[in-house]
């Protein structure tokens, strides 16, 4: 079972996010500073470990206002990407809305649902994952023949789009346990970035 190969299909939507980002760049100084945070700030704010997932790479790309962290575990892979955009002249699109109501977030999840629904043997459904006192919209999908369990979540946070895409195989466990591990992973990632925006307690 090559879970690394199977996650490739799950990360299709990252290209769409990056396309949206590059389409609205403005010619300004320090474009990577959005709502007081740079890509590297978010990169180091994501945890090294979450459940069975451990960091295997961290990459910041300030020129594209983005950060990507890759995780791996036993029969598990995940990619978390955070992509910023600058204000544009396109009315109503930016700045990015916090939470699940941004139109690009909705479009990403619509495409994730369509993608997973079109894959052989996969059953996709829309769901929500809570983090703190918030919730983000997600798409879950299961391939019962290969026992692969997918989750795609997207939300707006810190003026950026956050895309969370874990996948696990449940041949050594149960689907219910893996469902919970995927949701917990997504929740921990969103919470980590959301917490960056909270004022420090005295």
């Amino acid at each position: 079972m090559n879970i690394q190969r199977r996650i490739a299909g799950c990360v299709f939507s990252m290209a769409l996010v990056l396309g949206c980002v590059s389409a609205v760049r403005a010619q300004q100084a320090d474009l990577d500073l959005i709502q007081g945070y740079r890509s590297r700030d978010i990169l180091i704010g994501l945890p090294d470990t979450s459940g069975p997932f451990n960091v295997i790479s961290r990459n910041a790309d300030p020129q594209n206002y983005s950060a990507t962290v890759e995780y791996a575990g036993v029969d598990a892979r995940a990619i978390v990407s955070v992509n910023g955009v600058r204000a544009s002249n396109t009315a109503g699109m930016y700045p990015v809305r916090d939470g699940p109501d941004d139109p690009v977030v909705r479009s990403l999840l619509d495409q994730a649902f369509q993608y997973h629904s079109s894959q052989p043997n996969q059953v996709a459904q829309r769901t929500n994952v809570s983090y703190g006192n918030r919730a983000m919209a997600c798409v879950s999908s299961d391939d019962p023949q290969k026992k692969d369990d997918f989750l795609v979540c997207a939300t707006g946070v810190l003026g950026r789009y956050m895309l969370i895409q874990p996948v696990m195989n449940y041949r050594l466990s149960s689907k219910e346990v893996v469902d919970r591990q995927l949701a917990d992973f997504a929740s921990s990632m969103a919470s980590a970035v959301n917490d960056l925006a909270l004022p420090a307690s005295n």
Side-chain angles (χ1 to χ4, degrees):
M1 209 286 296
N2 189 339
I3 199 78
Q4 184 171 9
R5 197 171 292 166
R6 289 181 191 157
I7 198 176
C10 193
V11 298
F12 76 98
S13 42
M14 191 181 313
L16 175 61
V17 172
L18 294 175
C20 292
V21 170
S22 62
V24 295
R25 287 186 188 155
Q27 298 301 314
Q28 299 176 14
D30 199 7
L31 295 179
D32 192 40
L33 184 64
I34 303 172
Q35 292 190 12
Y37 293 87
R38 293 179 175 84
S39 300
R40 180 159 178 75
D41 300 329
I42 295 173
L43 185 78
I44 62 177
L46 291 170
D48 291 335
T49 301
S50 177
F53 295 91
N54 300 295
V55 166
I56 58 172
S57 70
R58 293 180 188 266
N59 294 292
D61 185 356
Q63 292 185 332
N64 290 308
Y65 336 130
S66 66
T68 303
V69 182
E70 188 175 1
Y71 291 83
V74 176
D75 286 339
R77 298 284 288 195
I79 290 179
V80 179
S81 60
V82 181
N83 295 277
V85 295
R86 301 300 300 187
S88 76
N89 294 324
T90 307
M93 283 193 69
Y94 302 106
V96 177
R97 296 179 196 161
D98 277 358
D101 294 329
D102 187 276
V104 174
V105 169
R106 291 196 299 269
S107 177
L108 283 171
L109 292 171
D110 286 346
Q111 293 203 27
F113 183 83
Q114 292 168 7
Y115 172 82
H116 283 288
S117 295
S118 70
Q119 298 306 298
N121 307 315
Q122 286 194 33
V123 178
Q125 60 183 353
R126 297 178 188 273
T127 186
N128 291 299
V129 170
S130 61
Y131 62 102
N133 60 355
R134 298 184 174 204
M136 63 182 157
C138 303
V139 171
S140 65
S141 185
D142 171 42
D143 183 336
Q145 289 191 356
K146 296 177 180 175
K147 298 189 181 300
D148 286 337
D149 208 3
F150 300 90
L151 187 66
V152 180
C153 297
T155 191
V157 62
L158 295 179
R160 293 163 163 87
Y161 295 115
M162 184 172 191
L163 188 63
I164 305 167
Q165 299 181 97
V167 57
M168 291 183 71
N169 184 272
Y170 54 91
R171 65 189 173 87
L172 300 178
S173 183
S174 71
K175 185 179 184 307
E176 293 72 24
V177 168
V178 169
D179 281 345
R180 174 47 45 200
Q181 289 175 318
L182 294 180
D184 287 348
F185 175 81
S187 178
S188 70
M189 297 298 114
S191 293
V193 175
N194 187 62
D195 289 350
L196 291 174
L198 299 178
S201 58
N202 293 331

